[in-house]
Amino acid sequence: MLMDHKTSTLTQAPQIHFDLSDEQRQFQELAHEFAEKEIRPVAADYDEREEFPWDVIKKAAGLGLMTYGLPEEYGGTGANALTQCVVTEELAWGCAGITTALGGTGLCATPIAIAGTDAQKKKYLGRFSDTRKLTLGAYAITEPNAGSDVASMKTTARKVHGGYVLNGTKHFITNGGLADVYVIFATLDPSQRADGICAFIVEKEMGVQAGKKERKMGIRASHTAQIHLEDVFVPEENRLGEEGEGFLVAMRTFEHTRPDVAAMAVGVARAAFEYSMEYAQQREQFGKPIARFQAIGFMLADMATEIDAARLLTWRSAWMLDQGYPVNKEASMAKRFAADTAMKVTTDALQVMGGVGYTRDYPVEKWMRDAKIMQIYEGTSQIQRIVISRMLTGW
């Protein structure tokens, strides 16, 4: 018997639609114009030189594109998660490396917004939002021997009078060594694993030391490096949440940021698809455009379909986040699918272009290199599958 629509629990949920609001379209247009005029013209150069794009970052910060998602009372615009995903897709369409550099500050600000006290939010979110002086942020959780297994971290926090003393090394840190403010995770007791982890707001001047800068396959415009902590004193007022709540703070942060990473993957995939489709319509072989050959046409059809599906999963997870629903499973689904889609689409786009796509005279090879990181950072595609399967089965 068909379910009576009046008794369906689905009818109790807020309605969803696929139209952006006027405000969201304005954000989208602003981000796309910035990507088109300020990011794309310099993306290849910054990638080639593996140099941090200070000029672009300062311009973006001046427009509020680094911190527009922060609450209005702390200097942001209060843009919701869906709006942030819309903006991130456009920026990543310009360059994923520069977008990652921009996003490092937002990633740092997120746990402060989630778990910070009013005083912490006012002090640090206010600093990030101040367009008169650029303040970079960084999120430091990964270690040489603690990647997917976050609970095995070795960076320690020793309780002392008035605060904590931190010792350890973090690596693969976006904006590491450049940032002015860090959210750093450390453990009171490694044997307690997740239960011993705390989160701290640490200012560079407290003693954060820059370490090795990584030479990466992709997203080369972003600065990724180690940081070292040697007897760094952090006052108790800079602890985020209670002792032992750091792991929960980290996981809640990822729930908020994984839709944004998914949006970045969609932006990269879209850039590669659009470029290869235009090429296929212009490139002729055997007397006609290669887009008219079924082998190529079907590839383009699959690319377009997968990008749309990835965007819809991304928007759903962001929409649920905005409605206050639990979003762990849906955020992981969006991040996993969008990341894998970006890798597949950029690979296929290069294949459509053939030999020229493999050269650095064309941007597709860069997008392919950039896409790979989407399957790795903020939880690998394999970790996302673990999250999804556990949510489905309850184990």
Side-chain angles (χ1 to χ4, degrees):
M1 181 178 177
L2 290 176
M3 180 182 292
D4 183 348
H5 75 277
K6 293 181 180 179
T7 62
S8 170
T9 57
L10 292 177
T11 62
Q12 306 305 312
Q15 295 300 303
I16 185 171
H17 57 82
F18 300 102
D19 292 327
L20 298 178
S21 68
D22 290 341
E23 183 181 36
Q24 287 169 331
R25 290 194 182 281
Q26 289 173 2
F27 272 113
Q28 186 181 47
E29 290 169 4
L30 172 66
H32 186 80
E33 183 178 2
F34 187 83
E36 188 172 44
K37 293 182 178 179
E38 303 291 346
I39 295 180
R40 276 214 170 174
V42 300
D45 184 52
Y46 278 115
D47 177 77
E48 183 71 23
R49 291 188 286 120
E50 301 187 42
E51 187 174 303
F52 191 78
W54 284 109
D55 289 345
V56 181
I57 298 299
K58 289 175 182 177
K59 290 177 183 177
L63 290 172
L65 284 172
M66 281 179 58
T67 54
Y68 64 94
L70 297 181
E72 291 184 73
E73 58 264 39
Y74 304 113
T77 66
N80 62 18
L82 179 55
T83 304
Q84 292 175 56
C85 286
V86 169
V87 169
T88 295
E89 179 183 333
E90 299 305 322
L91 295 176
W93 173 89
C95 174
I98 293 176
T99 303
T100 299
L102 284 168
T105 298
L107 180 57
C108 175
T110 299
I112 300 175
I114 290 173
T117 63
D118 288 341
Q120 289 170 339
K121 292 176 184 178
K122 183 176 181 179
K123 180 177 181 179
Y124 291 105
L125 300 186
R127 280 183 63 181
F128 291 141
S129 299
D130 188 351
T131 58
R132 296 168 298 179
K133 181 181 179 182
L134 177 64
T135 299
L136 288 183
Y139 181 90
I141 193 168
T142 303
E143 298 182 3
N145 293 306
S148 295
D149 183 12
V150 170
S152 67
M153 69 173 57
K154 302 302 181 188
T155 297
T156 58
R158 178 169 54 88
K159 187 73 177 289
V160 296
H161 178 70
Y164 302 82
V165 174
L166 274 53
N167 282 280
T169 294
K170 299 292 186 179
H171 82 161
F172 297 158
I173 307 304
T174 298
N175 296 346
L178 300 181
D180 304 290
V181 178
Y182 296 80
V183 169
I184 296 178
F185 295 82
T187 179
L188 295 170
D189 181 357
S191 68
Q192 293 186 22
R193 290 183 57 78
D195 292 336
I197 296 173
C198 297
F200 301 93
I201 305 171
V202 184
E203 299 186 32
K204 185 177 184 179
E205 289 75 13
M206 292 176 180
V208 179
Q209 300 176 30
K212 171 192 173 186
K213 177 187 175 183
E214 303 295 343
R215 299 179 67 237
K216 307 188 298 294
M217 171 183 172
I219 59 167
R220 293 176 179 172
S222 67
H223 181 92
T224 308
Q226 287 188 338
I227 59 169
H228 302 296
L229 307 164
E230 296 181 7
D231 293 329
V232 173
F233 174 76
V234 181
E236 188 164 3
E237 66 193 34
N238 278 41
R239 188 189 67 223
L240 272 176
E242 300 299 323
E243 287 189 352
E245 290 185 350
F247 185 82
L248 177 60
V249 170
M251 295 304 105
R252 288 184 61 199
T253 297
F254 288 140
E255 282 191 25
H256 282 74
T257 58
R258 279 173 178 158
D260 208 51
V261 176
M264 192 183 304
V266 173
V268 173
R270 191 182 110 210
F273 164 70
E274 289 176 357
Y275 197 93
S276 63
M277 182 176 67
E278 183 177 353
Y279 178 87
Q281 291 172 323
Q282 296 176 356
R283 170 70 167 170
E284 290 192 2
Q285 290 286 276
F286 306 103
K288 60 183 178 181
I290 62 173
R292 292 176 58 186
F293 291 100
Q294 190 178 80
I296 301 297
F298 279 14
M299 288 176 69
L300 294 170
D302 287 345
M303 292 157 71
T305 302
E306 287 155 6
I307 289 169
D308 269 11
R311 183 183 294 109
L312 288 171
L313 281 171
T314 300
W315 283 17
R316 181 186 68 164
S317 64
W319 176 83
M320 290 181 66
L321 193 61
D322 289 333
Q323 302 301 322
Y325 290 124
V327 73
N328 200 9
K329 173 169 63 71
E330 288 77 14
S332 288
M333 284 180 169
K335 200 272 185 184
R336 197 289 299 169
F337 187 83
D340 291 350
T341 293
M343 194 70 250
K344 182 178 183 300
V345 167
T346 55
T347 301
D348 286 349
L350 195 151
Q351 189 71 22
V352 167
M353 296 187 65
V356 297
Y358 196 68
T359 70
R360 283 186 285 179
D361 293 332
Y362 294 81
V364 177
E365 62 85 27
K366 175 189 180 297
W367 291 322
M368 182 178 176
R369 288 187 286 106
D370 289 347
K372 186 59 192 174
I373 194 61
M374 308 298 166
Q375 295 178 308
I376 298 173
Y377 65 5
E378 292 209 36
T380 65
S381 292
Q382 288 72 31
I383 287 295
Q384 305 310 320
R385 288 177 171 88
I386 290 174
V387 172
I388 296 164
S389 64
R390 284 180 175 175
M391 295 296 291
L392 289 173
T393 62
W395 60 272

